[in-house]
Amino acid sequence: MTKVIEDSRPGSDVNQPMRVLCSGKPYIYFDNHAKILDCNEAVLGLTNISKDNLLGTDLTRSDVNRQFVDAVIKASAEGMSIFRGNVLLGPKPSEYYLETVFFSIESSNRQDKGIICYLLDILAIDTIFQNAIHGKVSPVNGLPELINVSVSYHALDGSVIYVSPAIELLLGYTAEELKDLSPLFAVYPDDLPIVTDVIEKLRDGNDFMRSCYRMVHKNGAIIDIETSSYLITNESGARNIVSVSWDRGAQAKIKRELELSEQKYYSLVMNLPAGVSLISNKGKLLEANNAMKIVMGIPIGKPMPELNIFNQDFMKDSGIGEQLKASIQTKEIVSGELPFRSLRTGKEVFLIYSFLPILNSDGSVETVIGYVNDLSQQKKVESESRERAEFLNLVINAIKSPFFVKDEEHKWVILNDAAVEMMGHSREELLGKSDYDLYPKVQADVFWKYDELVFMEGNSKNEEQITWSDGTLHTIVTHKQLYVEKPSGKKFIVGTIHDISDYKKIENELRASEMNYRELFDNANDFIITVDPEGNITNANRTLLNHLKIDLEKITALNVLDYVNEENKELTFALRDKILSGDIDNSFEVNALGIDGQPVTYEVKASLIISDGKMAGVQCVFSDVTERREAQQKLEKYNTSLVELNKTKDKFFSIIAHDLRNPYSSMIGFSELLLEDLDTLTKDEIRDSLKIIRNSAKNSLNLLENLLAWSRLETGRMPFDPAKVVLTNIVDEVVNVLFSLAYRKKIEISNRVELNVLLFADKNMLNTILNNLVMNAIKFTPIGGQVSISAVPDVSEPDTEKDFIRISVTDTGIGMEADVCTNLFASGKPISRPGTEKEEGTGLGLVLAREMVDRHGGSIMATSEPGKGSVFSFLIPAYNPGKSSS
């Protein structure tokens, strides 16, 4: 917001606060709604409109002025704007081309804030058209002083805040270049005192200064400049300078440019898509542009024929001749519409025409400008729009849920049939009304609050109580979305209503049913417990809580493993996996610890808890069968065969559990050593201990990852989903993950896979295979060694249904004996040995890799010699749409 500095010097007229600011230059003063409040004589001289008539102009009545009005409103909101384009002014609107700059201002002598508009350039369109038609060139009065005027906005030190685009024509610099240069860079050095004196006087309180000085064009030329500078102050008290500058030595050049401009306008008029003609007051056709000639069937490029509108049969029959006479007689613009068969194409078109009388200085009509536009396409668009609107109305009314649109005053502007039925009034009675006209104030207040939330945040979703047309109270869920209409900026609320009364009733019934279930749950004779997929306890019945002498809050902080003794945890893990995979339908027994710490046997019936189609946990109903279990020991002999079948797998889990405990024992032991002897240990001893702890942690993590992957694979919970895979991308991912591991041993990893190698493989399994093989290569390669990954088509079995790619991981490591190499994949048992830096392992990675390769239908092998490194190769199907990839 700019505040006008009043002229308080002796003799100043306080009733004209704009006098000093504008200093005779053309300006118009508007209110914030684009209503003209004031102007100076310079504007009246340029427009030839009296002040009373100009102040009476309502700019908002014409669509031509829409962008100009938008620029006024933008200045009101943002403090400043610019405009270039056509504007209709005066009671009998004349069209002008304007280049303007707007500033939002406030004055102590005006009640309302307003907008000051500087006219930098003005062209009378009608005058230019007449001159162009007759081949005349005559500049608009006062125009040479206004063309190519540059407006700039500065801080008090002269630095640039804003400059109009005309600055590039004036000085050769762009606005961006001037902002980056020093404030007075372009001023001629000898004239710097003049400019600095102006700035100092404006700082000291002078609100207007005019100065003449020289500036240096970007090309080195010296230009004589005249500048009017104004001091403006915003609402916060900050002061800035507005300068209006022009080249005093460019008058001759400007005149020539004006002539060229009028010639351009003549060319523009002649080539307009709308038909334009010049007609004498006797009805004689004097001139017509190409579009008009086409409408009238006159050959383009031929001399204008002798033709009188009043004498043409078509003009008489269509009434156009009478309309032209009416325009001449009344001196008013006359418009009309008519269907017309094109004389050139023979197609039926729809024309809209206007006659604009041009008056002599004595007020009589000299000529008439005729305009013709083909509205056929517009009519077609209107028809299509009407059809779309009817279709949209049909769709909206087909929606069974109530649908509505409200304006910014919370009044309904659109209601579908379901909404009308819900409210119990006719659509005519509802449109233009608000909630307060229909509902009790308590309900309407709630609706109003949620509507305001939409205007502030853009949308809302809320549950409300509403009285239906039959007087019943319903529970509804309302979805509301903000819609902003372009280009008017009007805001609307678009909403839908869903009646959830029945759902609420069902919800209440379910809640009552749940309470009944809870009573049965709590008072059951058996123990009941629910857990999530990780074994965390989520609920327990009262019978169990009383037995364990614990409350619900404490037990839900525990895991079921807290009640399982150590020797039975492996079995518990296996049972958990079977339960989660749905493999156990019957009851089973588990051994646990009782509340007295003694072993106890429970008979358990487990069932999965499904929520939203997904497994959310397990519910177990169990009872203490310790005594019965002891009485049935003999029956366990019949399970010997089952035990034998699982013997190998149990042994495998036992090995894994042993290897998993070893790293933790190592970490605990060395960490206790550090804690006990920290003050006496040397840095090297501490470092060695930390290395051992770190390696143990890494081995534990690797073992856990492989164990989890193997477990999912063995239990069928790891999906096998082969798809097209770019191998080099997978190798890059593995190399990036293992980079830090290789970096510590200064081992170089090379990806030698070509970009065009495509596989038909499960991406996750392929990543796991490569991860284990590359990690194994790093483990057995000494410091400074190399590891490479390559791939070639496999040609060992060319007649197979599938094509395979042989992927190889090669290292320069310590290698292995032939018998060790042969036994690596011969059995399902893991084989492990320490790495070059004594890295420990379990061998599970190679077992896992073999099983995943088998899932792909491939095979894995290894070749090695002691001291010469190793090559681990495996076959994966190639992506080949021409052959079967399944």
Side-chain angles (χ1 to χ4, degrees), residues 291-542:
M292 181 63 82
K293 289 180 179 178
I294 292 173
V295 171
M296 301 182 69
I298 301 173
I300 298 175
K302 298 293 184 179
M304 185 66 64
E306 290 288 335
L307 190 150
N308 192 292
I309 302 298
F310 297 146
N311 298 333
Q312 294 293 311
D313 292 338
F314 171 76
M315 302 298 182
K316 293 179 182 179
D317 296 340
S318 62
I320 293 178
E322 293 300 320
Q323 294 284 66
L324 175 59
K325 290 180 181 179
S327 177
I328 295 172
Q329 292 170 357
T330 62
K331 303 177 184 179
E332 299 285 348
I333 298 175
V334 175
S335 301
E337 300 177 357
L338 79 157
F340 177 74
R341 185 170 298 279
S342 173
L343 300 176
R344 184 170 65 92
T345 64
K347 293 183 178 180
E348 187 78 20
V349 295
F350 194 86
L351 301 180
I352 181 172
Y353 61 89
S354 297
F355 293 116
L356 173 65
I358 306 300
L359 306 181
N360 285 321
S361 57
D362 60 2
S364 62
V365 176
E366 178 183 9
T367 54
V368 177
I369 298 175
Y371 296 95
V372 173
N373 271 307
D374 183 357
L375 293 186
S376 303
Q377 186 63 30
Q378 179 179 331
K379 289 290 185 180
K380 180 180 178 182
V381 171
E382 289 177 356
S383 176
E384 292 174 351
S385 298
R386 186 164 48 254
E387 291 175 359
R388 284 196 296 269
E390 292 173 354
F391 176 74
L392 179 61
N393 188 56
L394 178 64
V395 171
I396 290 174
N397 286 318
I399 300 174
K400 298 305 180 184
S401 298
F403 173 90
F404 62 88
V405 178
K406 290 182 178 180
D407 61 17
E408 292 180 85
E409 296 179 356
H410 302 246
K411 295 181 178 180
W412 289 295
V413 294
I414 296 177
L415 291 163
N416 72 344
D417 291 344
V420 172
E421 181 182 355
M422 176 192 76
M423 297 179 187
H425 296 271
S426 69
R427 185 175 279 102
E428 291 72 19
E429 291 174 325
L430 292 170
L431 294 178
K433 302 293 179 61
S434 73
D435 293 302
Y436 286 102
D437 298 316
L438 193 64
Y439 298 108
K441 183 178 184 303
V442 175
Q443 289 185 3
D445 286 341
V446 174
F447 302 154
W448 187 281
K449 178 185 70 174
Y450 287 128
D451 285 352
E452 285 296 313
L453 187 64
V454 177
F455 287 126
M456 290 187 294
E457 298 184 1
N459 59 73
S460 76
K461 176 185 176 182
N462 44 273
E463 185 176 307
E464 303 165 340
Q465 295 286 329
I466 188 171
T467 303
W468 221 255
S469 59
D470 59 4
T472 59
L473 189 64
H474 288 245
T475 302
I476 62 172
V477 172
T478 305
H479 297 262
K480 298 176 183 177
Q481 188 73 33
L482 179 65
Y483 171 75
V484 181
E485 184 181 67
K486 296 180 180 179
S488 68
K490 293 181 179 179
K491 297 178 180 179
F492 296 91
I493 296 174
V494 180
T496 56
I497 296 174
H498 302 278
D499 185 3
I500 62 170
S501 301
D502 291 339
Y503 298 109
K504 280 292 182 180
K505 180 180 179 182
I506 294 172
E507 181 182 336
N508 292 333
E509 292 174 351
L510 287 175
R511 188 176 293 110
S513 176
E514 182 181 352
M515 292 180 66
N516 292 333
Y517 165 78
R518 185 72 202 184
E519 286 297 317
L520 294 173
F521 179 82
D522 278 337
N523 295 302
N525 291 327
D526 291 329
F527 304 137
I528 305 176
I529 191 171
T530 63
V531 297
D532 66 15
E534 286 72 39
N536 299 310
I537 300 172
T538 57
N539 201 355
N541 72 339
R542 189 182 298 118

Side-chain angles (χ1 to χ4, degrees), residues 680-751:
T680 61
L681 293 175
T682 65
K683 287 187 177 179
D684 290 338
E685 289 173 331
I686 294 173
R687 184 180 294 106
D688 291 341
S689 296
L690 290 175
K691 285 183 178 179
I692 293 172
I693 293 173
R694 182 193 65 188
N695 291 335
S696 297
K698 287 182 178 179
N699 291 336
S700 299
L701 177 61
N702 185 45
L703 176 60
L704 283 173
E705 289 175 344
N706 282 329
L707 177 59
L708 290 174
W710 182 87
S711 174
R712 293 197 305 271
L713 189 65
E714 286 297 301
T715 57
R717 290 184 294 110
M718 177 178 284
F720 178 65
D721 187 19
K724 178 181 177 182
V725 174
V726 180
L727 177 58
T728 187
N729 294 342
I730 302 298
V731 174
D732 282 341
E733 291 178 10
V734 172
V735 171
N736 289 336
V737 170
L738 300 179
F739 173 78
S740 60
L741 188 63
Y743 180 79
R744 293 190 185 97
K745 296 182 70 174
K746 299 181 180 179
I747 293 174
E748 179 183 352
I749 306 179
S750 302
N751 180 359

Side-chain angles (χ1 to χ4, degrees), residues 3-14:
K3 183 176 181 180
V4 177
I5 303 299
E6 305 283 356
D7 184 3
S8 59
R9 293 170 291 183
S12 65
D13 184 358
V14 295

Side-chain angles (χ1 to χ4, degrees), residues 25 84 97-101 119-123 142-152 163-172 215 217 223-227 243-261 264:
K25 292 301 175 185
R84 295 182 183 85
Y97 170 80
L98 300 182
E99 290 189 7
T100 64
V101 60
L119 276 61
L120 308 181
D121 197 347
I122 178 169
L123 299 173
L143 186 61
E145 292 186 8
L146 297 173
I147 293 180
N148 299 331
V149 175
S150 170
V151 177
S152 56
V163 291
S164 65
I167 193 68
E168 189 165 358
L169 182 61
L170 188 65
L171 295 178
M215 296 190 77
H217 193 276
I223 311 168
D224 289 324
I225 298 294
E226 181 177 347
T227 299
S243 294
V244 182
S245 305
W246 59 92
D247 182 359
R248 295 189 301 161
Q251 301 301 320
K253 179 181 178 182
I254 291 174
K255 182 177 180 180
R256 175 58 184 160
E257 289 176 351
L258 181 61
E259 292 174 353
L260 294 175
S261 176
K264 177 186 70 176

